[in-house]
């Protein structure tokens, strides 16, 4: 097929109407783009109440009314003129943009492809004024309350080729509603109302950020989020990050704002995703609502016509700040980090059928205070111990002793405690210790060789022992490697008899070519012959795992990603695999002492609320929920 031959025309100045229509192609892609521009103008005008009315998905009509400061009648024509704005007047203003809109093109572009009417009244005016059509229209007196109403009708009435590319009414409405939700989410100090075809769909009164995010994102996010508010120099990051258990299969629960502007920035998305890599693997996407505030001079918002992308003056510093802030927030998901269980199941959450529903809860920040967070020593989870150590089984068939009996295990004459978090006193308490000192309580029994049943002051705690132990080992291995990077020795276990196994030529070559990487990870894997490898040392933390399986996993990842990448980009995935192989398996019978040791280790381990894949490691079933199951008090 031959390409069309372009028609030769002389260079000429384009008419204003055509210029505006070309600009509209960039600014007004669909009705939702109009909604966005008009909402940003309303917020820049200081509005605290905004009403959005849509008809036929916004194609037939978009009317947005606000109670902002309004537009003076003599300035109404300028509002519809190209490159006219009250928000910037110089290059300095452009480099320090502090408003949502500033280009001065939106209204003129919209007016070039739709019928536009602006009605506005300033606080000192006796009545409102309106202008219809374009900047050449006549300003006339009108009726209306203080503020501005911009009424856009018959979008693309004069550009039918563009109108035919619009989707169905419901699809276009969905895009408009999403824009309203995004902007309402960032401004809880403003009330928003959304109607479609005469029916009110959403209404949000002025509220706090916590309530607004709950209203818009739903109770599931509200019950599985962590508050975040950190500052460093000119940067401040605040909002909410969702627990890994609240992750989604799509990235539609991610809202990031820079100086109040919703953005989709690859640098910011990568920083948050990297912070979740310890607790969320695979194809799941975290949910979050985060706002980054910084000096407008440090960010360029003028890099995209729709202002959806930004460019930072120091992108690396911003990336590191966001990454570490989110990572620190997620690290607080341990059993004692907030003084309360992260996932209580209340009576209200028990289904009528009697099946409890797991639902994460937000944490209330508290300090350790004078609480103890001891751990058995030796512990089956600490270096130098073995899961298969012979331990006496309780004579009562696994049922726990009294709380006082378990509390005595931590008295002054108890075995020395393992390391506790910094700032936690190690002296024994003068009072009898109870469940209050240990949020996860004390073990009662083991269920089907998979779950630990424990009792605390709130009711029943259920622990997935493999997932919990996997997280503990993962954190221990990661901390050991971090310590090695800072000059400390990584504890390795010299195998008395090296483990030998058949290996193919690729595995042997990998072991020979990446000796330094393997030693960094604590492995000494040597080639005995062209088809035989021997494992001589493994990290002490992994000494109870199958050495051959560990060696094959390490060699596979090193071969696939390379030595440097596996230590930097793929380290967490590799450590997660190693921890999974080493963690206690299902159907492993544990003594009461071993179960309690696991609970104590969970209480002092960061991120112990989730395993390495984002699944919960424990849940809480409250007494009230149990009472409801058995119809007690009814």
């Amino acid at each position: 097929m031959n390409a069309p031959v372009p028609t030769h025309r002389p260079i000429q100045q384009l008419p204003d109407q055509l210029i505006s229509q070309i600009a509209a192609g960039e600014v007004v892609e669909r009705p939702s783009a109009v909604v966005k521009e008009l909402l940003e103008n309303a917020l820049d005008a200081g509005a605290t109440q905004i009403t959005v009315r849509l008809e036929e998905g916004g194609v037939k009509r978009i009317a947005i009314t606000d109670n902002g400061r309004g537009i003076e009648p003599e300035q109404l024509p300028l509002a519809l003129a190209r490159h006219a704005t009250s928000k910037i007047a110089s290059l300095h203003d452009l480099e320090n943009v502090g408003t949502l809109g500033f280009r001065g093109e939106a209204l003129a572009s919209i007016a070039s492809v739709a019928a536009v009417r602006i009605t506005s009244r300033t606080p000192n005016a006796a009545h409102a004024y309106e202008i219809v059509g374009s900047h050449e229209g006549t300003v006339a007196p009108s009726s209306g309350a203080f503020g501005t109403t911009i009424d856009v009708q018959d979008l693309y009435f004069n550009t039918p080729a563009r109108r035919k590319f619009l989707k169905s009414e419901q699809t276009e409405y969905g895009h408009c509603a999403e824009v309203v939700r995004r902007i309402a989410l960032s401004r809880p100090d403003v009330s928003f109302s959304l109607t479609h075809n005469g029916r009110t769909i959403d209404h949000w009164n002025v509220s706090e950020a916590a309530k607004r995010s709950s209203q818009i994102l739903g109770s599931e996010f509200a019950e599985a989020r962590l508050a975040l508010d950190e500052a460093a120099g000119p940067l401040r990051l605040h909002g909410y990050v969702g627990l890994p258990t609240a992750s989604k299969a799509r990235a539609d629960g991610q809202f990031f704002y820079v100086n109040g502007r919703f953005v989709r920035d690859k640098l910011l998305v990568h920083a948050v995703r990297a912070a979740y890599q310890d607790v969320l693997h695979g194809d799941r996407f975290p949910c979050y609502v985060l706002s980054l505030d910084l000096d407008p001079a440090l960010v360029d918002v003028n890099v995209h016509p729709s202002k959806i992308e930004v460019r930072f003056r120091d992108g690396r510093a911003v990336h590191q700040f966001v990454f570490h802030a989110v990572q620190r927030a997620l690290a607080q998901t341990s059993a004692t980090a907030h003084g309360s269980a992260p996932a209580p199941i209340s009576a209200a959450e028990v289904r009528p059928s009697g099946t409890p529903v797991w639902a994460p809860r937000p944490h209330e920040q508290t300090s350790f205070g004078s609480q103890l967070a001891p751990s058995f020593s030796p512990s089956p989870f600490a270096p130098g111990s073995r899961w298969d150590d012979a331990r006496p089984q309780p004579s009562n068939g696994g049922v726990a002793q009294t709380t006082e009996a378990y509390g005595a295990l931590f008295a002054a004459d108890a075995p020395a405690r393992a390391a506790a978090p910094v700032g936690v006193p190690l002296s024994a308490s003068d009072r009898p210790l109870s469940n209050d000192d240990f949020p996860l309580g004390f073990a009662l029994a083991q269920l089907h060789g998979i779950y630990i049943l424990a009792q605390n002051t709130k009711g029943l705690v259920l622990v997935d022992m493999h997932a919990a132990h996997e997280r503990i080992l993962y954190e221990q291995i990661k901390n050991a490697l971090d310590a090695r990077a800072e000059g400390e020795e990584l504890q390795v276990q010299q195998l008395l008899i090296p483990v030998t196994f058949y290996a193919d030529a690729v595995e042997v070559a990998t072991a020979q070519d990446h000796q330094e990487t393997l030693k960094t990870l604590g492995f000494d894997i040597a080639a005995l012959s062209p088809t035989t490898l021997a494992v001589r040392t493994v990290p002490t933390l992994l000494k109870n795992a199958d050495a051959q399986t560990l060696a094959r996993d390490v060699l596979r990842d090193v071969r696939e990603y390379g030595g440097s990448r596996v230590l930097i980009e793929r380290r967490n995935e590799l450590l997660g695999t190693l921890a999974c192989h080493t963690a206690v398996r299902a159907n492993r019978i544990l003594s009461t002492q071993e179960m309690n040791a696991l609970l104590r280790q969970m209480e002092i381990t960061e991120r112990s609320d989730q395993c390495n894949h984002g699944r919960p490691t424990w849940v809480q079933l409250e007494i009230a929920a149990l009472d409801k199951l058995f119809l007690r008090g009814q």
Side-chain angles (χ1 to χ4, degrees), residues 344-410:
I345 301 175
S346 64
E349 294 169 317
V350 176
R351 295 176 180 172
S353 63
T355 304
V357 182
W358 185 85
R361 280 281 193 270
H363 303 296
E364 297 177 0
Q365 296 213 4
T366 60
S367 63
F368 278 96
S370 61
Q371 288 187 351
L372 300 176
S375 174
F376 286 106
S377 181
S379 161
F381 303 95
S385 63
R386 292 181 56 86
W387 271 98
D388 55 352
D389 285 345
R391 297 184 181 273
Q393 296 292 328
S395 60
N396 55 4
V399 178
Q401 304 173 42
T402 63
T403 296
E404 291 73 19
Y406 282 120
L409 293 170
F410 301 95

Side-chain angles (χ1 to χ4, degrees), residues 57-98:
V59 178
K60 181 178 181 181
R61 188 184 188 196
I62 300 170
I64 295 183
T65 301
D66 67 66
N67 67 340
R69 51 182 167 267
I71 305 172
E72 298 289 346
E74 63 272 15
Q75 292 196 323
L76 283 173
L78 282 174
L80 290 171
R82 293 182 59 246
H83 305 314
T85 179
S86 62
K87 299 167 186 178
I88 58 173
S90 66
L91 180 60
H92 178 269
D93 294 339
L94 184 61
E95 293 176 346
N96 294 269
V97 173

